[in-house]
Amino acid sequence: DIKIAHVYGKTGPFEAYAKQSHDGLMLGLEYATGGTMEVNGEKIVVIEKDTQLKPENGKALLEEAYGDDEVDLAIGPVSSGVALAMLPVAEEYEKLLIVEPAVADSITGSNWNRYIFRTSRNSSQDAVASAIALAGDNVHIATLAQDYAFGRDGIAAFREALAAQGHEIVHEEFAPTDTTDFTAAGERIFNAMKDLEGEKKLFIIWAGGGNPWAKINAMDPSRFGIEFAGVGNILAALKGFKDFAGMEGGTYYYYELPDNPVNDWLVKTHFERFDSPPDFFTAGGMAAGIAAVEAIKKAGSTDTEALITAMEGMEWETPKGTMQFRAEDHQALQPMYHFKLRVEDDVEWAIPELVRELSIDDLPIPVRN
Amino acid sequence: MIRTLLSGDLPRSRVLALLLAVILICLAFAPFLFPGVRTVDTAARICIFIVLVASYDLLLGYGGIVSFAHTMFFGMGAYGVALTSTHMGRGFDALAIGSITGAALAAVLALLIGLFSLRVRAIFFAMITLAVASAVAVLVSQLSGLTGGEDGLTFKIPRELGPAFKFGKETFDGALFGVKLNGKLLTYYLIFGGSALLFLALLRVVNSPFGRVLQAIRENDFRAEAIGYKVVYYRVTATCLSAAIAALSGSLYAIWLRYVGPDTTLSMTIMIDILLMVVIGGMGTIYGAVIGATLFVLAQNYLQNLMSVLSGMTEGWPLLPELLSPDRWLLWLGVLFILSVYFFPSGVVGRLRGQR
Amino acid sequence: MSDLAQTGTTGDPILRIEGIYTNIAQYHILQGVDLHVPRGGVTMLLGRNGVGKTTTLRSVIGHWRAHRGRILFDGDDITRIPTANIARAGLGFVPEDMGIFADLTVEENMVLAAVSGPIDPARLDWIFQAFPPLKTFWTSEAGNLSGGQKQMLSIARAMIEERKLYLIDEPTKGLAPAIISTMARALKDLKDQGASILMVEQNFAVAKALGDTANVMDDGRVIWSGEMAELAGDPTLQERLMGLSMEAK
Amino acid sequence: MTAPLLTTDDLTVRFGGHVAVDAVTCAFHAGELTAIVGPNGAGKTTYFNLISGQIPASAGRVTLNGQDISTASVSTRTKAGIGRAFQMTNLFPDLTVLENVRLVVQAKAGRGFNLWSMVTGHADLIDQAEDILARVRLLEERNQIVSELSHGNQRKLEVALLIALDPLIYMFDEPTAGMSVDEAPVVLDLIADLKAQSDRTVLLVEHKMDVIRTLADRIIVLHNGALAADGAPAEVMASDIVQEAYMGRGLEGVLDHV
Amino acid sequence: MSTAPEHSPTMARSSVTDRLAPYAPLMLVPVLAIAGLIAVQNPASWLTLTVSGLAMGMMIFLMASGLTLVFGLMDVINFGHGAFVSVGAFIGISVLLTLGHLTNAPSLGLNLLAILAAVLAAMAATAVMGWAFERVIVKPVYGNHLSQILVTMGGLIIAEQLIIVLWGPEEIYFTRPEALKGALTFGDAAIEKYRLVTVGVGLAVFAAMRFVLRRTKIGLIVRAGVQNGEMVAALGYRLRLVFIGVFIAGSALAGLGGVMWGLYQEVITAHMGNQAMILIFIVVIIGGLGSVEGCFIGALLVGLLQNYIAFVEPKLALVSNIALMVAILMWRPMGMIPVVKAK
Ligand SMILES: Nc1ncnc2c1ncn2[C@@H]1O[C@H](COP(=O)(O)OP(=O)(O)OP(=O)(O)O)[C@@H](O)[C@H]1O
Ligand SMILES: Nc1ncnc2c1ncn2[C@@H]1O[C@H](COP(=O)(O)OP(=O)(O)OP(=O)(O)O)[C@@H](O)[C@H]1O
Ligand SMILES: [Mg+2]
Ligand SMILES: [Mg+2]
């Protein structure tokens, strides 16, 4: 048998993401094996392990997977903190870990080792895509993000990407991660922007609760001609954006954006099985599943070294079109989407409409390992 | 001999003595009785949490002081080892210096907080520790250059303590009872031995005249002062001692994990876990820590497995499989808490010793 | 022991305790207490420390529960009904530890004690006359009162409304002589209004002056009951029952 | 006359506007038993509280053996030799009777900060504690949990703790309240013994006149917080202030007539 | 009858500061607002910040009021309070979502009607839940703080998990009723319409609670019952019933707070109540355990201070609440308006 461990935070605040990720993974394996769940004549067995979003658990469970269960490779986890704790385990056991969907840059950056591959996008990819989508002459951009490493890194990447286009941010606002009242942040941003001429956009990166868009929107930023911008989000979150028709930004996935056979199959199958469209992390999980199968096929075995050789530079088809593992840092390069929100009465959420697909070549993602 | 080792505080219940003996034997021979990465990992965590919980019980159960900063001290020990190992390079000297500095700093910080707040009143201490602990957590997250922020630090410990180090090739052919003789095994016994020593030391402290004064202060601090005990000094001393031991257990944890992060050592969740372990085991008895930590860590690790079995068995019933799904393990942990407080208000140990 | 019926008061007793056994945890404290409180009189319950006097009163009000025997109040069996209902049936209780609500003011303590409505001002005046400090400290926190003032408050709480029977546990401890006298007066007034009183008392002088009938307990049982005057007039009996050696004042 | 052991100078405390102890100046000598009487709420317990340091004085000084201890903490004063028993029973309720006394003996011996020896190793402390329990006739109850004692026995234990402390100044606040007539003498005899020990001073708050008459060398009267009389028992008892405010003039006979 | 001798304790005049002390907390709110004006400088921003801060304070008060009631009166530390907030939000929002025809209409009256229905449903549900909580979870641990912390935490976990079982793990996003979207503007200052609603509800609840606690014996019975339940029973009160009643009231208030908070956040999760708990605890503690007035003032202070600090120096916003708590506890260790002498 080929054993694959899925080590991820099934319980805890990211439970919803976890479920999508796992459904996606199973669909990916199914799709890539043509429904047989077999590669090279061997059955694929998936072992699930719940980190409860705790790094120490992630570490112990991955050790268990490699050491006791003797899996051939592992996939996961949801949270970046857990992922970072797991990276050295892969090196120690000399086995592969495909990171999905944790996003921290450092996973394929400063903390990377050669047993790590990542199918999910990293924060830079989000930032660069948004920068390309938003930048323009006579466009003034202010940012709002959480005041901790991820928020600051995200804005830094965004700033860099903007600079590459020859633009800069007019005001950077950081608020504590647990902020619930954004009046002060809003006022500071308004005060910084109200006297500017031209298009004004407020770019928000915010993970988790707080919902800054709705709160700042309630302060009527249109008085000052300020529009919202942001990165894409899961469907549940898009339900809160029905007041934001016209908002633009860069996104990772929305089921109507890509146009390829894999995505068609995914959307169709997902509707059949779950009576709902696939979401962000479903697509990611599927990409990881397909990557695993393709790699094993290509390597002809589950030997780690053979797999690494096979995967470096490997191109494979995913719901987002063709992805490619960059040889230098094992990050999956992938297309991103420039979207604009559209609202329809009979759709529960705001619909990200495709403005432009940003291909791998359009996106200069820095190598940082 | 055993009496002296246990500082004259015998289990005083046959069932309890039996339970403790079983736990001791399981922990002492864990790598041989339950070979497997996960099980040994669980055993090591149990050892560490026993010490951590016991040190908290010194404060809560004996001193009657509620602190929300215990994980902060735990974290100081852990980060001590992580930082020295990162900056001094891997080595035993880094481990020793890290542990000792961590413990010393924890004691000093505890002294400051204690002198500042315990003078006023005990409830003030709870508030201040809550405030300081959350401030430190924010600080750790903000100083990401030094501490690794939310991501934490991954570091290397001496090679002798890693799985790559093998020994006993000639005499035992590299394995004893089928267990590979490697650095991982050594680390386990380092953790086990360290925990056992710290535990016995705590047992001695609570059974010393000092420990009895703490109990008296918990019962009636007003009267303790009126018979000539300077209550603040005793409380502050207990706080420092408890902080230092918590830090040492944190160091052991860091050595075991080779990783520290805010979620692993500083989070409020762990603080609450500690509280639960103290209460489940039984407050005001150091043996409670053994029982509480063991039960809790086992539940945390294996409840899910049990549930997936049960869930499979109830397939087809209405709602039950949903409730028994392993993803709902927290639900049942909650139920367990409530039941344990219901049926063991004085903890498992209190119950076994025949108190209310 | 059965000579209770001829104690001079008429009718059947307001409270009948029939052979109650009360355990506290594993200790057998009361072992068959028989006691009758006649209507309209002061019944004393005497005995050394620790013989079960307080436990008897607590068993009546329902703080401890007798597991054998019966307690009849005004003809109704109250052995098993909730404490609040026992109290509402017309019992006033002054516990040994005074049961002051320390964080409430004197006023709030009294307001609470007036269960059936607002305080009757006339009755309050009467109480103020007996216990003047309560008036002075009407709005102070009861926890800050002196020991004796707390005792006054505790008694005053029981007296604020008319009750059929008062259970009073050592009311005079800690009271200055002048206050003891006025308190005795107040209790006498109560009696004159037709109330019955069951009182535990260590001060024999007070017991002698107030008591109509007396019961002496030892070791969880009532070992003697009869007229107070009989006990007061017989020092050898006192010596035998209670170890009284000091001349009562 | 020898220098007094304890003096209070203009000792005053105010609660809000209420002057509970009003400029009390008084000296107490070794070998003397002073009874403090006064109506309920006169400030007797509060006066004790000021001497032992439970509450800070608003004004005035307390000196022990010539040393000003007005600002010292409770435990410091206790160690210096001021000991008291409380009017409201104040013990360690969940510990045993023996442990209560043992803790006091241990404090007296200064061994509280011993972190590394076993309690059972200090057998001498346990012996001392048992001696004291025998003196107050509580030895049989030594392993009982305090909260399970009857009221009278708790009062005895309260006295035992003070005796275990063996201070220079003994302060008793209504030690026999709630004690039965056959038990009270045990405590009163102990107090009489203390008086006989000529280097100790005893202060006694008591409402029972017969007790005061048999024991006191001197009586001071507090009234509305102020020192109203001070002198030999017979003389003070006969004074107007005591007769009127304390005994209640015109009420003497009430008890006999109700 | 002869009267006891008259004793009149000696009284001295109390100083001005002594007599003003009880009113000091009341002054803090205006003082803080003025300090805010000096720090913020821009009057339009100040107005926006102040009104929104006060409204935020009202919402915190709504969520905290039930806790302070239960905490203060019954001496029960309910760590599960957050669960009631969450459940209230889920029930209330579910009701709102089914009343789409009322919420989507641009009529304030219809919108408020929908909210009223949501609030009533949420309060009813949390009241029932409170009753069950009290019976099963809290009853055995009266008087024991530590056990309370633990069992109620167990209750919290169970409630959160049940929400997930019933509503699924995803957060639920939605938008406010039509008439409550957006803001009223005065020059450059903007005041959110929804916040005005919360101010109204907050004031109403505050007034109602004060009335019940001041004008009825319930408050007294419960406070006395916590100190000495036996004695309250011996006076003739069925303490159990009163306790259950208070607990139910506290739970229903949490449910109300949950609906209001959910409507503010426009997204609800099973953990939302618990996430608000630290803030709630801070408010309850600085107010003085059990003091409704203190809780009210404390909530307003927290709301205002948070906004001013976040505007003037966002970095400090992280610690502003904790700093406020420490400062107030140093000034008054029992909280601003201490009611119950907590051990
Ligand atoms: N909570 C308790 N647990 C165990 N035993 C108790 C408890 N309360 C009282 N006792 C025991 O019950 C016996 C009777 O106590 P009770 O208080 O009724 O005596 P009493 O006659 O009122 O004495 P006193 O005059 O001292 O108040 C005593 O021996 C006492 O030790
Ligand atoms: N902490 C306090 N706050 C306010 N008032 C107080 C405080 N302590 C005592 N008092 C008041 O001071 C006065 C004196 O009380 P104290 O306890 O000293 O009286 P006492 O002489 O011991 O009376 P008793 O004989 O009744 O015990 C009382 O009126 C009391 O209400
Ligand atoms: Mg009694
Ligand atoms: Mg007194």
Side-chain angles (χ1 to χ4, degrees), chain C residues 27 47-50 96 98 133 137 146-150 152 170 173-182 184-185 188 202 205-206 209-210 242-246, chain D residues 18 38-41 45 87-88 144 148 150-153 174 177-183 185 188 207 209-210 244-248 251-252 254-258:
Chain C
Y27 308 106
R48 310 164 207 251
N49 289 131
E96 182 172 44
M98 299 179 264
F137 294 105
S146 82
Q149 291 164 346
K150 283 184 187 142
M152 296 176 212
E170 298 200 27
K173 65 172 184 298
L175 290 187
I179 297 286
I180 294 183
S181 307
T182 46
R185 259 298 159 84
K188 170 126 191 327
Q202 295 288 9
V206 176
L210 276 178
M242 302 182 281
L244 279 193
S245 49
M246 244 162 45
Chain D
H18 173 199
N40 296 115
T45 302
Q87 178 175 14
M88 300 286 142
Q144 235 171 307
E148 296 176 354
S150 79
H151 181 77
N153 280 338
E174 302 193 29
M179 237 181 247
S180 60
V181 222
D182 66 325
E183 299 273 13
L188 296 177
H207 286 303
M209 279 308 134
D210 43 354
E244 197 149 321
Y246 188 58
M247 303 302 293
L251 285 168
E252 302 94 336
V254 167
L255 277 181
D256 303 327
H257 305 268
V258 280

Side-chain angles (χ1 to χ4, degrees), chain C:
Chain C
M1 211 173 301
S2 52
D3 50 359
L4 268 177
Q6 315 113 36
T7 48
T9 40
T10 50
D12 54 305
I14 179 117
L15 182 75
R16 272 167 183 277
I17 301 177
E18 298 179 351
I20 57 165
Y21 285 73
T22 302
N23 293 352
I24 305 178
Q26 70 269 39
Y27 308 106
H28 303 272
I29 307 293
L30 298 189
Q31 313 186 15
V33 172
D34 281 297
L35 184 80
H36 294 192
V37 178
R39 247 173 239 281
V42 179
T43 305
M44 304 303 306
L45 187 56
L46 307 173
R48 310 164 207 251
N49 289 131
V51 296
K53 305 181 294 294
T54 300
T55 310
T56 305
L57 295 198
R58 286 173 60 89
S59 300
V60 173
I61 195 74
H63 286 163
W64 299 128
R65 291 288 171 177
H67 64 96
R68 245 171 81 187
R70 272 201 320 168
I71 304 171
L72 296 175
F73 176 62
D74 215 1
D76 301 324
D77 189 342
I78 56 165
T79 324
R80 265 164 200 92
I81 67 174
T83 298
N85 296 10
I86 299 177
R88 293 218 175 218
L91 268 167
F93 182 52
V94 179
E96 182 172 44
D97 64 3
M98 299 179 264
I100 295 299
F101 305 124
D103 299 338
L104 269 52
T105 63
V106 172
E107 178 180 12
E108 288 170 332
N109 268 278
M110 295 294 282
V111 167
L112 259 191
V115 177
S116 50
I119 295 178
D120 169 14
R123 218 171 156 90
L124 189 63
D125 272 348
W126 171 60
I127 287 174
F128 281 160
Q129 261 173 35
F131 306 124
L134 296 185
K135 189 172 187 177
T136 321
F137 294 105
W138 189 236
T139 54
S140 319
E141 252 178 53
N144 289 339
L145 294 180
S146 82
Q149 291 164 346
K150 283 184 187 142
Q151 188 68 59
M152 296 176 212
L153 175 58
S154 184
I155 299 166
R157 267 193 331 205
M159 302 197 315
I160 190 68
E161 284 183 346
E162 213 174 304
R163 305 276 149 79
K164 292 187 205 152
L165 173 65
Y166 296 85
L167 304 176
I168 307 182
D169 202 345
E170 298 200 27
T172 62
K173 65 172 184 298
L175 290 187
I179 297 286
I180 294 183
S181 307
T182 46
M183 190 201 68
R185 259 298 159 84
L187 293 180
K188 170 126 191 327
D189 287 354
L190 276 183
K191 187 169 86 171
D192 293 346
Q193 289 163 16
S196 320
I197 298 174
L198 174 59
M199 187 163 145
V200 175
E201 183 55 74
Q202 295 288 9
N203 185 335
F204 197 73
V206 176
K208 196 167 70 178
L210 276 178
D212 297 318
T213 56
N215 298 269
V216 183
M217 284 186 75
D218 199 10
D219 211 8
R221 289 190 191 86
V222 175
I223 53 163
W224 186 90
S225 35
E227 296 287 345
M228 186 69 220
E230 186 187 342
L231 183 61
D234 187 346
T236 39
L237 188 60
Q238 293 170 24
E239 172 74 45
R240 181 164 66 80
L241 296 174
M242 302 182 281
L244 279 193
S245 49
M246 244 162 45
E247 235 302 297
K249 184 189 157 199

